[in-house]
Amino acid sequence: MPKRQYFKPFILRKNSSAQRKSMQIAVIEGIPATIIANILGGPILTAYLLFLHANSQQVGFVLAIPPLANMIQIAAAFFMQKMENRKLWILVTSIIHRSLWTMTGLIPFFVADHMQVAVFIGMFLVSFISTSISGVIWSSLISDLVPAQVRGRYFGIRNTIHWAFASVTLLIGGQILERAASEQTAFIILFSIAGLSTVWNAFELARYPNPPFEKSQAATGAERLLKPLKDRSFMLATLFIAGFILLQNTAVPLFSFVMLDVLEISYTQLTVVTVVQMIVMMISYYYWGTLNSRIPTITLLLWSLPIIALSCVIWIGMEIIPVIVVLVLVHILLGVGQGGYNLLAFNFMIGETPKADRPMYIAMFSAFTGLTGFIGPMIGGALYEWSEGGSMWIQSYGISFFTGAAMLIVAVGIGPFILGRNKRRR
């Protein structure tokens, strides 16, 4: 298929079909959402927590909140059976999420120093519970809007566009942190940009269509809950991925903490290596999406996991290679691996699950991966707290290396048996 065909759903035309317009709206709406996530999240989130004087365990706990909040999706999936207006609930919960997150920027002005981290955690938790509710509803809606035969390519290109904005946003955010007169001034600017993007995002969300919702035919809530649990191939894949995420989140979410607090690199260096990751991820989304049009999702998902593991293993290169070179290599591998995982896990949830029961399948996947995703950073934060005052190599690369080695064993040694079996059953 010619390359221009891949971009067909994204071309704006006056006579575009309603379906194509919906797909275009989903692309545009994601741009301000991406700006907010990267102007307030990632390494900038870690920098803000350190500005509020958070310690490693508190940083780990905050980084663990987004996956933990995903467990609320099971309740959201039950609630969706009574829902008639998916668009309204997406709009309300998304506005709560982004408004509350943006309002955490007011904490230094209105909250006593000893309470700032605690108040941030409370607001951040409510914010991400809201977006988790929004996420399961949005996944159901977008799966109705995007035809199955173009999902791999569509989401690959959509993510490429969004990560292009993410890269630019993070680079600008890092320069603001580096060049502003003070950290406080820098964060005022960053949170102001997030506030404007929240308004833009709300406007775009209001443009979404609201197609009829096909509800589950299960007679009771217990039957709806048990459907994914009884799907052996789905649950095997879910439990395996959840276990891998437990290991991954012990190290990967704390990369920014290690770079800022242990290695003490500058904000500019931090944003440069993170932007490298985003650019690589942006490019990889396109190629993973293209491959997904020919190769099964489960197969590609299995390919992405060892790449993420290697991004942790090669931290040991600091023994013989300059730190900044190792960090660039780490983030290149992480960009390729996470680009594949993010796209393929989403396509797995919406593409290999029954339409009427999809919200519960998505919720179950998110609950299991969310629980292990929450535990991982907590373990990682505790490990870095324990290693303080110990050997520098353990803090700088030891924890990442040993975690990556365990991930590699799981991905290569166990993954083919679990996910390969899932593929054969499907």
Side-chain angles (χ1 to χ4, degrees):
M1 183 181 290
K3 275 191 176 182
R4 60 187 178 84
Q5 292 294 323
Y6 291 131
F7 294 91
K8 193 174 180 181
F10 302 90
I11 300 172
L12 292 168
R13 295 172 180 165
K14 288 184 179 179
N15 60 345
S16 293
S17 66
Q19 187 177 60
R20 180 175 294 176
K21 288 178 181 177
S22 301
M23 294 163 70
Q24 292 164 352
I25 290 169
V27 173
I28 297 170
E29 176 272 320
I31 293 173
T34 298
I35 291 172
I36 296 165
N38 288 275
I39 209 76
L40 300 184
I44 294 178
L45 172 60
T46 303
Y48 187 59
L49 288 169
L50 293 175
F51 174 69
L52 297 179
H53 307 294
N55 58 37
S56 61
Q57 284 190 308
Q58 289 171 325
V59 171
F61 181 75
V62 170
L63 297 177
I65 284 175
L68 175 67
N70 281 342
M71 296 187 69
I72 198 70
Q73 290 192 356
I74 293 179
F78 279 114
F79 173 71
M80 284 183 69
Q81 292 303 305
K82 300 180 180 179
M83 186 181 296
E84 300 297 336
N85 193 333
R86 286 183 290 181
K87 173 181 172 179
L88 175 63
W89 282 99
I90 291 171
L91 181 62
V92 171
T93 52
S94 296
I95 290 174
I96 291 173
H97 160 58
R98 296 186 176 99
S99 299
L100 267 180
W101 196 2
T102 300
M103 289 170 64
T104 60
L106 299 174
I107 287 175
F109 301 99
F110 297 101
V111 180
D113 290 352
H114 69 284
M115 289 294 295
Q116 288 182 358
V117 175
V119 171
F120 179 92
I121 289 172
M123 295 176 69
F124 195 75
L125 177 61
V126 176
S127 170
F128 274 82
I129 287 174
S130 297
T131 197
S132 292
I133 296 170
S134 173
V136 69
I137 304 171
W138 183 86
S139 297
S140 168
L141 179 66
I142 199 70
S143 67
D144 290 347
L145 297 178
V146 182
Q149 63 270 24
V150 300
R151 279 179 190 153
R153 292 193 298 272
Y154 172 80
F155 287 112
I157 297 171
R158 180 180 182 271
N159 290 354
T160 299
I161 293 169
H162 290 170
W163 281 97
F165 280 90
S167 303
V168 174
T169 299
L170 186 58
L171 192 60
I172 292 172
Q175 288 301 301
I176 291 171
L177 277 173
E178 192 74 28
R179 298 176 182 275
S182 66
E183 281 190 307
Q184 181 169 299
T185 301
F187 286 120
I188 289 173
I189 296 170
L190 295 174
F191 279 92
S192 298
I193 294 171
L196 294 173
S197 299
T198 297
V199 176
W200 178 15
N201 179 256
F203 172 77
E204 297 297 340
L205 285 170
R207 298 175 59 220
Y208 263 96
N210 194 24
F213 176 37
E214 181 181 337
K215 298 180 182 180
S216 173
Q217 298 302 307
T220 65
E223 287 182 25
R224 292 196 296 274
L225 180 65
L226 289 173
K227 274 199 172 183
L229 292 174
K230 289 180 177 179
D231 188 334
R232 183 177 174 81
S233 58
F234 172 80
M235 288 307 301
L236 279 173
T238 296
L239 292 172
F240 170 77
I241 293 169
F244 185 87
I245 287 175
L246 174 64
L247 292 171
Q248 172 188 300
N249 279 19
T250 301
V252 173
L254 291 158
F255 279 2
S256 295
F257 172 79
V258 175
M259 289 186 283
L260 284 173
D261 200 63
V262 178
L263 301 177
E264 297 182 344
I265 69 173
S266 67
Y267 285 132
T268 297
Q269 290 174 315
L270 174 66
T271 52
V272 166
V273 296
T274 308
V275 167
V276 167
Q277 175 193 338
M278 289 183 168
I279 292 173
V280 172
M281 190 181 294
M282 174 185 72
I283 297 169
S284 75
Y285 274 132
Y286 174 80
Y287 287 100
W288 284 113
T290 301
L291 285 171
N292 199 200
S293 66
R294 303 192 303 271
I295 301 173
T297 299
I298 285 293
T299 300
L300 292 176
L301 187 58
L302 182 58
W303 293 358
S304 71
L305 302 184
I307 302 174
I308 299 174
L310 286 173
S311 73
C312 296
V313 170
I314 66 168
W315 278 76
I316 198 172
M318 290 180 186
E319 284 286 353
I320 56 175
I321 303 174
V323 170
I324 193 65
V325 175
V326 173
L327 294 178
V328 169
L329 293 174
V330 164
H331 285 79
I332 288 173
L333 286 172
L334 192 60
V336 175
Q338 285 199 325
Y341 173 79
N342 292 344
L343 174 67
L344 298 162
F346 182 75
N347 286 351
F348 169 72
M349 285 190 292
I350 70 170
E352 301 197 23
T353 53
K355 181 178 178 181
D357 295 290
R358 189 165 292 148
M360 187 57 73
Y361 273 79
I362 293 171
M364 197 62 66
F365 182 89
S366 299
F368 279 99
T369 56
L371 178 61
T372 56
F374 167 74
I375 296 171
M378 297 295 292
I379 295 173
L383 287 173
Y384 282 107
E385 190 80 17
W386 164 79
S387 65
E388 282 186 9
S391 300
M392 184 63 180
W393 73 270
I394 295 178
Q395 298 177 61
S396 57
Y397 66 80
I399 293 173
S400 294
F401 169 75
F402 288 117
T403 302
M407 291 162 60
L408 197 57
I409 292 170
V410 169
V412 177
I414 302 175
F417 297 99
I418 302 296
L419 296 187
R421 182 176 180 178
N422 181 284
K423 181 178 69 174
R424 289 192 296 274
R425 283 176 174 270
R426 292 284 168 187

